[in-house]
Amino acid sequence: MAISALETVVVLDCPDPGKLADFYARLLGGTVEGEGDWVEVAVAPEGAAVRKLAFQKAPGHVPPKWPSAEHSQQFHLDFYVPRAELEEAEREALSLGAELLRNEDGGESGFRVYRDPAGHPFCLCFR
């Protein structure tokens, strides 16, 4: 018997939940909900259920380093974009405060790796 349904919310620790929520709301076209130590971003893709990311204030937050065995990323987020829109998506992500970490092959591998303003790795991917 399952003890819960898979209705998860991914929660990222960070020094400033409102600032990081704003970054992801702009990146994903979502809306910011709440303020203070716990802030969420709600994203409602057309025809799909609302999905949420949450951001929790973590005093003394130490961002992961990628790649690094000593400061492992623990996990990362993948966001899919149409291949023809990858360059535009990258420009927009960078203008919002993302930092490019890996694009050695011009994106031919199907993804590019970035760091959000709090240091969490994420990828823009295409199929």
Side-chain angles (χ1 to χ4, degrees):
M1 176 174 140
I3 60 170
S4 179
L6 185 59
E7 295 178 19
T8 60
V9 173
V10 174
V11 182
L12 299 177
D13 286 353
C14 60
D16 187 339
K19 180 179 176 182
L20 196 56
D22 183 63
F23 169 81
Y24 279 102
R26 292 170 184 255
L27 186 73
L28 302 171
T31 57
V32 176
E33 299 176 349
E35 57 185 51
D37 292 348
W38 181 277
V39 181
E40 296 179 348
V41 170
V43 180
E46 190 173 319
V50 172
R51 297 180 181 129
K52 291 189 176 188
L53 282 175
F55 307 92
Q56 175 177 269
K57 185 172 181 115
H61 170 72
V62 177
K65 293 182 182 172
W66 182 92
S68 170
E70 295 82 30
H71 301 282
S72 173
Q73 68 179 335
Q74 302 294 316
F75 75 96
H76 70 274
L77 300 167
D78 285 345
F79 301 112
Y80 289 86
V81 298
R83 183 181 187 119
E85 297 175 15
L86 181 62
E87 297 300 327
E88 180 182 343
E90 177 175 275
R91 282 191 298 277
E92 182 68 19
L94 295 174
S95 76
L96 294 172
E99 177 186 351
L100 179 64
L101 296 179
R102 178 175 169 224
N103 180 22
E104 296 134 7
D105 62 1
E108 292 304 311
S109 61
F111 65 94
R112 293 181 185 170
V113 183
Y114 306 84
R115 178 185 347 237
D116 72 21
H120 305 101
F122 71 93
C123 297
L124 292 180
C125 308
F126 61 87
R127 296 179 194 209

